[in-house]
Amino acid sequence: MIKLFDPYISKEEAKATTKVIQSKFWASGSGTNNVRKFEDLFLKYTKSKNCIAVNSGTAALHLALSLFNIENKEVLVPSLTFVSTVNSILYNKGKPIFVDVDSKNLCIDIMDIKKKITKKTGAIIIVDFAGMPANIKEIKKIADKNRIPIIEDAAHSAGAMYNGKRIGSHVDAVCFSFHPVKNLAMPTGGAICINNKNTKESKKILQSLRWCGIENRQNFQYDIKRLGWNYYMNEISAAVGLVQLKKLDFANKKRRSIAKKYSSKLKMNDKMPYSDDCVYHFYWIRVKNREKFMKKMYEKGIETGIHYNPVHKMSYYKSKIKLPITEQVANKIVSIPTHPNLTNSDINKIIHAVNDLYDC
Ligand SMILES: Cc1ncc(COP(=O)(O)O)c(C=O)c1O
């Protein structure tokens, strides 16, 4: 079976993990050793102002949004995303306002942002869908005019480029996921790159929030000034992350070369565009009969997926909003594999199978 996602690992990750296990120092809320090393290197890699490691992309989004006072405010967010993007607004007592996507890249639609922004808007969340950076320049113009922050959900886009710079440094807070299927994989992990005005103060707050609110620690004494969570990264994940970070650019290059082949060889028009800036966490296509297509692909030994069932359609969010592009796309979209473990024969097999079946 050709898997949709498959971590790109070698013996190095196993060696790094064993070293941590044998050291018996597996975790610390204060974020020392491998966690600090990872933060320092990821900071350099992204050239952001500050970086803080956490234990998931969900935690990153939750904590990043808590830096901006969104309580009772509206937050613009695409519905075509993983639920964590939207839940982070609710964790911080904000109100999600679902925004449609651009049919070409499936990132948040600028025109719809303009329509939905009001005096009640407290922030905009953008998602780099499948590793394709959103149109940050245009969104920034709107955010600056309205004096609101942008939070970027970069769960899919570790290593992606925008305007000649790596994702991580362009907006107020950028949230990464290092879930095992992601381009940079760990057992569990995430990070927030912060670039807002009070970066140093923000980092101090986030360090406390990721460890149950603990601050001003001296020997065995500490204080709690805010309600925090148990969100710190463990040493084993950080050790794996340090190895993964070294090969991220190489792995992303492989993903891009696979996407380039799909882009030129797949016959349908409805497919993900090619860009040298994108890191192709997966590659999306739109097919005629999704259920049949996915079943037949599976029978041929190729796993596919759906990213995503739109969040505004889920009962918990009680949304009656209409998002024409999102709704149209959501019934047709299928994700196909781009992970660096694919062989040339796998890639050719996928191309032939998709070309045979997309119209079935
Ligand atoms: C777009 C998006 N945002 C947020 C997340 C949450 O990340 P995590 O699973 O590390 O909590 C994911 C992970 O699947 C994601 O794909």
Side-chain angles (χ1 to χ4, degrees):
M1 179 60 71
I2 301 175
K3 284 158 75 181
L4 176 59
F5 296 116
D6 196 30
Y8 183 53
I9 54 163
S10 59
K11 284 186 186 146
E12 262 196 282
E13 282 84 353
K15 245 165 80 186
T17 310
T18 306
K19 205 170 149 196
V20 178
I21 296 283
Q22 286 173 341
S23 79
K24 299 189 180 177
F25 182 77
W26 297 354
S28 159
S30 56
T32 51
N33 284 30
N34 286 317
V35 172
R36 182 153 313 148
K37 264 188 222 155
F38 181 81
E39 283 175 341
D40 289 347
L41 288 179
F42 201 64
L43 177 75
K44 276 197 194 129
Y45 181 77
T46 54
K47 295 198 171 74
S48 52
K49 284 198 196 152
N50 232 320
C51 172
I52 179 144
V54 288
N55 63 2
S56 71
T58 306
L61 285 158
H62 179 177
L63 295 191
L65 269 179
S66 74
L67 289 175
F68 310 98
N69 179 17
I70 60 151
E71 191 167 340
N72 298 322
K73 291 189 188 154
E74 296 181 349
V75 177
L76 304 185
V77 64
S79 169
L80 199 68
T81 185
F82 186 58
V83 290
S84 292
T85 322
V86 181
N87 289 352
S88 67
I89 303 169
L90 299 176
Y91 299 152
N92 285 287
K93 303 191 174 82
K95 185 179 175 212
I97 301 292
F98 293 106
V99 179
D100 215 345
V101 289
D102 182 325
S103 66
K104 285 187 220 80
N105 62 8
L106 303 189
C107 294
I108 196 164
D109 181 53
I110 312 271
M111 294 308 285
D112 207 28
I113 293 181
K114 286 183 180 164
K115 268 190 222 155
K116 288 178 178 156
I117 201 156
T118 69
K119 286 205 171 71
K120 288 187 241 159
T121 310
I124 304 174
I125 305 186
I126 60 177
V127 178
D128 299 329
F129 193 84
M132 183 72 82
N135 187 345
I136 297 172
K137 197 171 155 202
E138 288 306 310
I139 299 164
K140 241 179 156 171
K141 277 188 207 160
I142 307 173
D144 288 349
K145 199 170 145 200
N146 289 274
R147 295 179 185 196
I148 52 171
I150 302 174
I151 293 89
E152 183 173 7
D153 182 339
H156 299 173
S157 59
M161 303 291 287
Y162 183 80
N163 250 348
K165 290 199 294 185
R166 280 208 185 92
I167 286 297
S169 64
H170 301 86
V171 302
D172 301 271
V174 186
C175 302
F176 293 89
S177 161
F178 305 130
H179 179 280
V181 302
K182 296 298 192 292
N183 293 31
L184 192 164
M186 294 183 187
T188 66
I192 310 162
C193 288
I194 30 182
N195 306 294
N196 63 344
K197 276 188 208 128
N198 310 314
T199 308
K200 257 196 173 156
E201 180 59 19
S202 299
K203 174 147 183 174
K204 253 177 81 184
I205 294 172
L206 292 178
Q207 276 172 324
S208 137
L209 291 180
R210 78 171 168 185
W211 189 23
C212 306
I214 290 174
E215 60 184 284
N216 295 343
R217 210 164 138 256
Q218 268 161 2
N219 297 323
F220 297 106
Q221 304 298 326
Y222 53 81
D223 192 17
I224 303 283
K225 292 182 185 155
R226 323 174 162 79
L227 182 66
W229 290 267
N230 191 335
Y231 279 171
Y232 57 87
M233 179 181 280
N234 70 63
E235 283 291 303
I236 301 163
S237 288
V240 172
L242 283 166
V243 179
Q244 288 268 302
L245 182 56
K246 274 197 283 182
K247 53 189 178 198
L248 181 59
D249 285 343
F250 180 72
N252 281 340
K253 202 168 150 197
K254 281 193 146 202
R255 287 175 183 274
R256 266 195 300 275
S257 77
I258 295 166
K260 205 170 202 172
K261 264 196 180 161
Y262 288 160
S263 206
S264 67
K265 303 243 164 88
L266 293 180
K267 286 188 203 143
M268 78 268 281
N269 293 324
D270 264 355
K271 60 186 175 209
M272 193 167 175
Y274 181 78
S275 159
D276 283 335
D277 287 346
C278 179
V279 289
Y280 295 94
H281 175 48
F282 53 82
Y283 188 92
W284 58 258
I285 55 176
R286 292 197 284 253
V287 300
K288 198 167 163 191
N289 182 334
R290 183 166 63 190
E291 209 174 309
K292 207 164 150 193
F293 174 85
M294 289 180 77
K295 187 167 172 283
K296 291 205 165 189
M297 288 290 279
Y298 193 81
E299 283 162 7
K300 283 181 185 270
I302 304 166
E303 194 185 12
T304 58
I306 299 175
H307 295 85
Y308 290 94
N309 292 308
V311 183
H312 76 287
K313 288 285 189 188
M314 315 246 174
S315 46
Y316 183 75
Y317 304 93
K318 297 187 183 82
S319 174
K320 293 204 169 72
I321 200 158
K322 293 261 176 293
L323 301 173
I325 304 292
T326 301
E327 282 158 36
Q328 192 191 334
V329 161
N331 292 324
K332 304 265 173 211
I333 198 164
V334 180
S335 322
I336 59 172
T338 50
H339 59 77
N341 296 325
L342 295 175
T343 62
N344 278 338
S345 126
D346 293 336
I347 298 163
N348 290 333
K349 183 174 168 180
I350 295 167
I351 292 169
H352 283 131
V354 172
N355 281 340
D356 269 356
L357 297 171
Y358 78 94
D359 220 6
C360 69

